Amino acid sequence: SKLPSEFDITDYVGTRDEGRGMSGENVLAVEVYRWCDGSYLEDQDMFRYSGIFRDVTLWAKPKDGIWDFTVKTALSKDYSAATIAVDGIEGEWGATLYDADRKKVGELNSSTAQPLNLSTVNLWSAEDPYLYTLVVRKGDDIRSCKVGFRSVEIAPNGAVLFNGRPIKFKGVNRHEASPVGGRTLTHAEMERDVELMKKYNVDMVRTAHYPPDPYFVRLCERHGLYLMPDGNVESHGLGYGTNSLALYPSWEKAHVERNARMVVNYRNSPAVFMWSLGNEAGMGPNFDAATAAVRALDPTIPVIYRHDCGKLPIDADTYVTLERTRERGLYPKCFFHIEYCHAMGNALGHLSEYWDEYYRSPSLIGGAIWDWVDQAVWKTADRVGPDGRPLRYLAYGGDFDEE
């Protein structure tokens, strides 16, 4: 429910034909089911709203146009040069790369099928989010996307190297929550989120616990935020033991598909530095299959998941005590605190003490505070204020007479 679903409706679109009394007007109707089998994998701690939370669009492309393409970038060993290639387009096509000043850098095309070499390159990072523009053409179909050159590596001492330099991620977990729109955020609200994050030195976002709105991804690319998309997989209501859906073959496709489609949608984004397979969904072969699918689609950045860390290059956990964090820092395997310093209410203690430990050990690469904004909505009270208008307050779970 948090990734695009596409339907070919060509055969159902009516065109104007006065002779047959056809006006050419069409009605686009979408039917939404509140509960389905997928609901078992969407058991995140959040309000359960009904409806459509993201855009519904109708668009057309040339019959022999571009369905999808993958941008593949690589840096030289000293990070001073780069290559770029385009894959996944059938037939004849061409592409042009422009720099941030809209100056032409070079071209690619299907006839040579060779990467474009850049002898010098501007790198993308949160501190300097330099973006190139790639324009791809196939016949009358013209597409474009932003391109950032960056690399993500894990050093032998457990540090994460971004463009060759060790980095500590000062992150937050971010639910899509608006006191007015619920799960539906306006572009202005997303822009305000990013503005505040940059203002207060947040440099990383974990999109708890589902893939983000595409517009938010573009904002992270443009303004410089490291992005960890979460797969829309959370089944904690069934526990993490023998009832976990990660163990049942009948649920493998759902685990794999939700993660694979997330990668396909956002693999071209330079802001994405890790793929998270989901949250609080136990351990089992379904996550092994999901990991294999993600790595097959994008082998360039690490995969992370709270459970089953022994099979992944990065350990991840939530709300680890300060003492245990200090002990964990003695090990060379990379560790990321995917949730810590619970910030709802009057919490968020020991922040400086945690960061003393993160800076003390190269393998402790930072963390993501829970969470960015309270998931509350405005509710009208049964009283009026001095101006005669009904008073309102921010309502939380339990404030709606639910059982």
Side-chain angles (χ1 to χ4, degrees):
S1 66
K2 295 295 184 180
L3 288 168
S5 296
E6 297 181 338
F7 305 90
D8 185 353
I9 62 171
T10 304
D11 295 338
Y12 305 97
V13 176
T15 57
R16 184 178 180 84
D17 188 335
E18 294 182 358
R20 299 172 59 188
M22 297 173 63
S23 66
E25 293 184 358
N26 296 268
V27 176
L28 177 63
V30 180
E31 188 172 68
V32 179
Y33 297 92
R34 182 173 189 182
W35 307 114
C36 64
D37 55 359
S39 301
Y40 289 97
L41 288 176
E42 299 177 8
D43 195 21
Q44 293 92 343
D45 292 321
M46 60 185 183
F47 281 126
R48 300 296 192 265
Y49 295 111
S50 297
I52 299 174
F53 311 126
R54 295 186 180 171
D55 292 343
V56 176
T57 59
L58 182 65
W59 63 282
K61 70 177 184 67
K63 291 183 178 179
D64 192 29
I66 300 169
W67 181 251
D68 187 23
F69 63 90
T70 305
V71 179
K72 298 181 178 180
T73 61
L75 300 180
S76 60
K77 290 184 178 180
D78 64 357
Y79 309 99
S80 65
T83 62
I84 180 173
V86 176
D87 193 16
I89 305 176
E90 296 181 358
E92 295 184 4
W93 57 269
T96 305
L97 184 69
Y98 299 91
D99 65 16
D101 295 322
R102 301 182 182 180
K103 296 179 180 178
K104 181 179 174 180
V105 177
E107 294 184 342
L108 304 97
N109 59 70
S110 55
S111 60
T112 61
Q114 295 295 320
L116 172 64
N117 296 307
L118 283 69
S119 58
T120 60
V121 64
N122 292 296
L123 302 181
W124 186 96
S125 68
E127 293 77 18
D128 185 11
Y130 191 97
L131 291 172
Y132 294 79
T133 300
L134 183 71
V135 179
V136 185
R137 300 175 179 86
K138 182 185 178 186
D140 294 329
D141 199 355
I142 302 175
R143 308 292 181 90
S144 71
C145 74
K146 296 298 182 181
V147 174
F149 291 89
R150 56 94 173 103
S151 70
V152 183
E153 306 162 272
I154 300 176
N157 64 0
V160 165
L161 307 180
F162 201 92
N163 298 335
R165 298 181 177 182
I167 187 171
K168 303 291 185 181
F169 296 100
K170 301 174 177 67
V172 293
N173 285 273
R174 175 184 176 271
H175 261 296
E176 292 179 347
S178 165
V180 177
R183 302 239 77 80
T184 301
L185 274 70
T186 64
H187 284 186
E189 287 175 310
M190 288 185 255
E191 291 162 3
R192 180 60 172 162
D193 279 351
V194 172
E195 178 186 351
L196 289 172
M197 289 173 184
K198 297 296 292 186
K199 181 177 180 179
Y200 292 104
N201 297 318
V202 171
D203 65 8
M204 173 265 166
V205 181
R206 179 184 180 223
T207 65
H209 297 293
Y210 37 78
D213 186 291
Y215 186 71
F216 186 76
V217 178
R218 303 290 89 82
L219 291 173
C220 292
E221 295 170 355
R222 186 188 315 158
H223 298 288
L225 285 169
Y226 301 113
L227 197 60
M228 180 190 292
D230 239 352
N232 194 8
V233 179
E234 179 166 345
S235 57
H236 78 250
L238 295 170
Y240 312 135
T242 57
N243 290 328
S244 170
L245 297 182
L247 298 170
Y248 292 88
S250 58
W251 288 87
E252 178 183 318
K253 180 180 179 181
H255 284 72
V256 172
E257 189 176 68
R258 285 166 177 256
N259 278 284
R261 291 181 65 236
M262 173 178 69
V263 176
V264 168
N265 272 275
Y266 298 124
R267 61 188 167 187
N268 290 340
S269 174
V272 176
F273 75 104
M274 285 187 196
W275 298 113
S276 173
L277 300 179
N279 184 67
E280 297 181 357
M283 298 181 290
N286 293 344
F287 278 108
D288 296 338
T291 300
V294 169
R295 284 174 168 164
L297 289 165
D298 182 9
T300 65
I301 59 176
V303 179
I304 191 171
Y305 177 55
R306 175 181 177 178
H307 306 289
D308 246 359
C309 294
K311 299 178 180 179
L312 298 172
I314 299 175
D315 284 347
D317 208 345
T318 62
Y319 310 109
V320 180
T321 65
L322 190 61
E323 292 73 22
R324 176 58 184 148
T325 300
R326 185 177 300 114
E327 295 172 2
R328 183 58 189 75
L330 301 175
Y331 296 90
K333 186 179 181 182
C334 182
F335 174 81
F336 184 73
H337 215 157
I338 56 173
E339 294 177 24
Y340 80 114
C341 283
H342 200 281
M344 297 171 67
N346 295 320
L348 199 61
H350 285 104
L351 186 62
S352 62
E353 289 85 352
Y354 271 110
W355 275 93
D356 287 343
E357 300 304 325
Y358 295 157
Y359 281 121
R360 187 173 288 123
S361 170
S363 64
L364 301 179
I365 64 170
I369 293 171
W370 185 268
D371 58 349
W372 172 244
V373 64
D374 285 354
Q375 299 172 60
V377 293
W378 289 116
K379 185 178 181 181
T380 302
D382 57 359
R383 304 187 306 277
V384 297
D387 59 358
R389 296 181 180 180
L391 295 175
R392 64 176 186 171
Y393 62 96
L394 288 171
Y396 295 78
D399 289 335
F400 297 91
D401 301 322
E402 72 270 27
E403 295 182 359

